[in-house]
Amino acid sequence: LAEAKTNGHSSCSSDASKSMNNSNISSIVNSAAGCFDLGKNLVAISTTKLQQTSQQNVTELFAPLIFLSEKAIKYSILVVEIAVILFALIWGVPRVCVRLHQHRMDSIGMPLAGDNNRQLLEYKNVDAETVVLPGCFTSIGKDAFIDCKKLKSITIPATVKEIGLKAFENVETLEEVKISGGAGAYSLLNFATYLVLGKDSTAAVIEKEAFSGCKKLKSIDLPEGLTSIGQSAFADCRKLTSVTMSDSVTSIGDYAFEYCSNIESVYIPASITEIGEQAFYWLYSLKTVTFENESQLVSIGANAFYQCSNLESFDIPAGVTEIGEQAFSGCAKIEQITIPAGIFFIEKFTFAS
């Protein structure tokens, strides 16, 4: 009513009374119309107040739910943001690192190519003497270093799982190869790459003729994780003096170390089941071959130790069932050898000369 009075309807009741007393029909009608307007105004004001009160009650009733929904939205956004960051770290950062490596290495003439730009296809800086590869590589391609005639030392990171066919063939200046260690060169750049690509992984395969003809190669670390030494992988590496393999290696390929004439000792882990043909052919400086206890060796290939003329003793593991033709031919200093019970046939010329 107070609001109605302020809107010009305060005289409604008094005007109506006056009109009735004067019996003035037009005045009565006008007064009635004024009262009608007052009624409409009162209804409108009451409705508005009711709506405001209802809205306030509803807001108070659902306030906890609104608060919880806002909280849920905030947490959902946070989860999405974390997921995006993780995706960027796992998928994006390694690729960014690869691109950064690519840009940096291109400046010295070494392009990347192959699957996801992680295979080194060719190293073109042919005058380099020392190379430390970054951790963005997972493999070294065929003939990758074949033209590097001045290369003396290379460090290959743990991310590399494969050294390809003839990768270092006839690099006669090469003296040292390290296939081990951490993330490799530019560790700040490839830290994330190493975590994603290189965790617990080292070179798994050394392919055919990978280091064949590296005549000055003196030492090589054969790391944990290496499973296979390919055909002629180290053939004619005449400066090598010893070979020690990890217990992950299962096979030594044909001609793997032939003509490595300075090797004096070889340690063969229990995991190896096969020594290929001519694997240690014409190693005339070789004096000792040591097999790890509980050797799983089954087969010694033809000419495997042919002309190892300084080899003084050889204990054939008990599990061997096959010895190839001329396997120990020319091993003139061996005075005694024990043939395991599992061997039923000895090939021709096995112990000739």
Side-chain angles (χ1 to χ4, degrees), residues 254-310:
D254 298 343
Y255 323 109
F257 295 94
E258 71 171 355
Y259 298 119
C260 294
S261 52
N262 270 308
I263 290 179
E264 296 180 358
S265 64
V266 173
Y267 175 81
I268 298 178
S271 57
I272 289 179
T273 60
E274 178 184 3
I275 296 175
E277 293 184 12
Q278 295 185 212
F280 299 96
Y281 183 87
W282 217 290
L283 271 61
Y284 52 74
S285 296
L286 183 64
K287 293 180 179 179
T288 60
V289 177
T290 304
F291 289 92
E292 188 178 13
N293 291 335
E294 300 181 3
S295 173
Q296 300 175 37
L297 187 67
V298 174
S299 172
I300 298 175
N303 299 293
F305 294 92
Y306 181 87
Q307 286 295 336
C308 294
S309 55
N310 279 298

Side-chain angles (χ1 to χ4, degrees), residues 156-162 178-181 194 198-206 220-228 244-250 267 269-271 292:
I156 300 172
T159 51
V160 173
K161 304 183 190 74
E162 180 180 356
K178 296 179 181 178
I179 314 175
S180 58
Y194 176 57
K199 199 183 297 181
D200 298 327
S201 69
T202 51
V205 177
I206 297 178
I220 183 165
D221 300 329
L222 299 179
E224 291 292 332
L226 181 69
T227 58
S228 175
T244 301
M245 289 162 270
S246 66
D247 57 10
S248 58
V249 178
T250 58
Y267 175 81
S271 57
E292 188 178 13

Side-chain angles (χ1 to χ4, degrees), residues 163 205-210 226-235 251-257:
I163 299 174
V205 177
I206 297 178
E207 293 282 3
K208 178 180 177 181
E209 301 176 29
L226 181 69
T227 58
S228 175
I229 299 174
Q231 181 178 322
S232 301
F234 297 96
S251 64
I252 301 173
D254 298 343
Y255 323 109
F257 295 94

Side-chain angles (χ1 to χ4, degrees), residues 138-158:
T138 57
S139 65
I140 297 174
K142 177 183 175 182
D143 300 329
F145 289 84
I146 200 166
D147 294 322
C148 298
K149 302 304 182 184
K150 296 182 180 180
L151 183 63
K152 292 182 179 180
S153 173
I154 184 166
T155 300
I156 300 172

Side-chain angles (χ1 to χ4, degrees), residues 49-254:
K49 290 290 184 182
L50 181 61
Q51 287 175 344
Q52 291 174 348
T53 305
S54 300
Q55 288 174 356
Q56 185 177 357
N57 291 338
V58 169
T59 302
E60 290 175 357
L61 178 64
F62 289 99
L65 293 178
I66 294 170
F67 174 74
L68 289 175
S69 65
E70 288 176 351
K71 215 168 186 180
I73 291 170
K74 288 180 181 178
Y75 282 123
S76 298
I77 293 172
L78 182 62
V79 168
V80 171
E81 288 175 347
I82 292 172
V84 169
I85 291 169
L86 289 175
F87 179 77
L89 287 174
I90 294 172
W91 186 88
V93 172
R95 284 154 182 81
V96 171
C97 288
V98 168
R99 294 301 181 187
L100 289 172
H101 285 311
Q102 184 174 21
H103 175 73
R104 185 165 185 173
M105 302 302 269
D106 276 348
S107 65
I108 59 171
M110 189 185 71
L112 307 181
D115 296 339
N116 286 327
N117 289 320
R118 291 175 187 161
Q119 183 184 44
L120 192 162
L121 286 190
E122 185 178 3
Y123 193 94
K124 290 187 176 181
N125 185 15
V126 295
D127 293 325
E129 294 186 0
T130 301
V131 174
V132 181
L133 295 181
C136 59
F137 292 110
T138 57
S139 65
I140 297 174
K142 177 183 175 182
D143 300 329
F145 289 84
I146 200 166
D147 294 322
C148 298
K149 302 304 182 184
K150 296 182 180 180
L151 183 63
K152 292 182 179 180
S153 173
I154 184 166
T155 300
I156 300 172
T159 51
V160 173
K161 304 183 190 74
E162 180 180 356
I163 299 174
L165 178 69
K166 301 182 179 182
F168 296 87
E169 185 183 35
N170 292 325
V171 182
E172 296 187 3
T173 55
L174 187 61
E175 297 178 1
E176 181 183 40
V177 176
K178 296 179 181 178
I179 314 175
S180 58
Y186 323 126
S187 55
L188 286 177
L189 281 178
N190 55 214
F191 177 69
T193 307
Y194 176 57
L195 288 180
V196 175
L197 300 179
K199 199 183 297 181
D200 298 327
S201 69
T202 51
V205 177
I206 297 178
E207 293 282 3
K208 178 180 177 181
E209 301 176 29
F211 295 92
S212 176
C214 296
K215 294 181 180 179
K216 290 188 178 181
L217 183 61
K218 296 176 182 177
S219 64
I220 183 165
D221 300 329
L222 299 179
E224 291 292 332
L226 181 69
T227 58
S228 175
I229 299 174
Q231 181 178 322
S232 301
F234 297 96
D236 208 21
C237 294
R238 301 193 179 196
K239 293 287 186 180
L240 273 178
T241 57
S242 65
V243 177
T244 301
M245 289 162 270
S246 66
D247 57 10
S248 58
V249 178
T250 58
S251 64
I252 301 173
D254 298 343

Side-chain angles (χ1 to χ4, degrees), residues 314-334:
F314 194 99
D315 296 323
I316 301 175
V320 173
T321 59
E322 180 183 352
I323 299 176
E325 184 178 313
Q326 298 190 91
F328 296 94
S329 180
C331 298
K333 288 190 176 181
I334 292 181

